[in-house]
């Protein structure tokens, strides 16, 4: 079974999201949009577009990353979320019970050994 196929997104929590977004825009040139982040389109070695986008976003502190205490969460693209969650449970990983299925795809979460919440995302068909 293929597991992770790419990085779907990188999400930060900040005390002052607007100021942190402005810092990244000013100093690193990230094209921060009004929704609070940027979308990096995937390309091949020749710079030609290929299917996929990595989201980058900064939001306010909250409990979205709970039970993790980290200020970040990485979202990994996967081909078959249900099969991967089953495999992770069988391997003794701390898989969270909650899953989400929406027009944006299927989401599940696992805690890594350092206590970071890892988001697993199966994009919708054609996504």
């Amino acid at each position: 079974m293929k597991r992770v196929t790419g990085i779907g997104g990188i999400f930060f929590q900040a005390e002052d999201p607007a100021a942190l977004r402005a810092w990244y825009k000013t100093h690193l040139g990230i094209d921060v949009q009004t929704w609070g982040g940027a979308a990096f389109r995937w390309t091949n070695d020749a710079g030609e577009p290929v299917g996929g986008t990595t989201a980058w976003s900064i939001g306010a502190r909250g409990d979205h990353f709970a039970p993790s205490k980290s200020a970040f969460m990485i979202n990994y693209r996967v081909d078959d979320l249900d099969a991967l969650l089953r495999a992770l449970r069988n391997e003794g990983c701390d898989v969270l019970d909650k899953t989400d299925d929406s027009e944006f795809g299927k989401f599940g979460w696992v805690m890594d050994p350092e206590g970071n919440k890892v988001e697993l995302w199966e994009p919708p068909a054609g996504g």
Side-chain angles (χ1 to χ4, degrees):
M1 167 186 58
K2 195 169 192 177
R3 294 188 182 219
V4 169
T5 62
I7 295 176
I10 301 170
F11 304 96
F12 297 88
Q13 293 186 44
E15 296 297 327
D16 187 344
L20 191 55
R21 289 181 203 125
W23 186 91
Y24 275 95
K25 187 171 188 166
T26 299
H27 298 289
L28 298 184
I30 294 177
D31 186 21
V32 179
Q33 302 295 304
T34 56
W35 55 269
F40 294 94
R41 307 254 182 258
W42 294 0
T43 61
N44 63 19
D45 290 340
E48 300 160 339
V50 296
T53 302
T54 298
W56 177 97
S57 180
I58 297 175
R61 291 217 184 266
D63 63 0
H64 181 68
F65 299 172
S68 174
K69 303 223 183 300
S70 295
F72 71 91
M73 182 173 63
I74 299 177
N75 165 293
Y76 294 98
R77 288 174 66 117
V78 302
D79 283 332
D80 186 340
L81 179 65
D82 295 332
L84 180 54
L85 292 177
R86 273 192 308 277
L88 293 171
R89 281 187 181 99
N90 290 338
E91 294 164 1
C93 295
D94 183 8
V95 176
L96 302 183
D97 289 332
K98 179 186 179 215
T99 59
D100 186 30
D101 193 348
S102 72
E103 75 260 24
F104 303 111
K106 294 180 181 180
F107 297 85
W109 297 269
V110 62
M111 301 298 291
D112 77 11
E114 294 284 328
N116 299 303
K117 186 177 181 182
V118 176
E119 187 168 67
L120 303 171
W121 169 53
E122 181 183 329

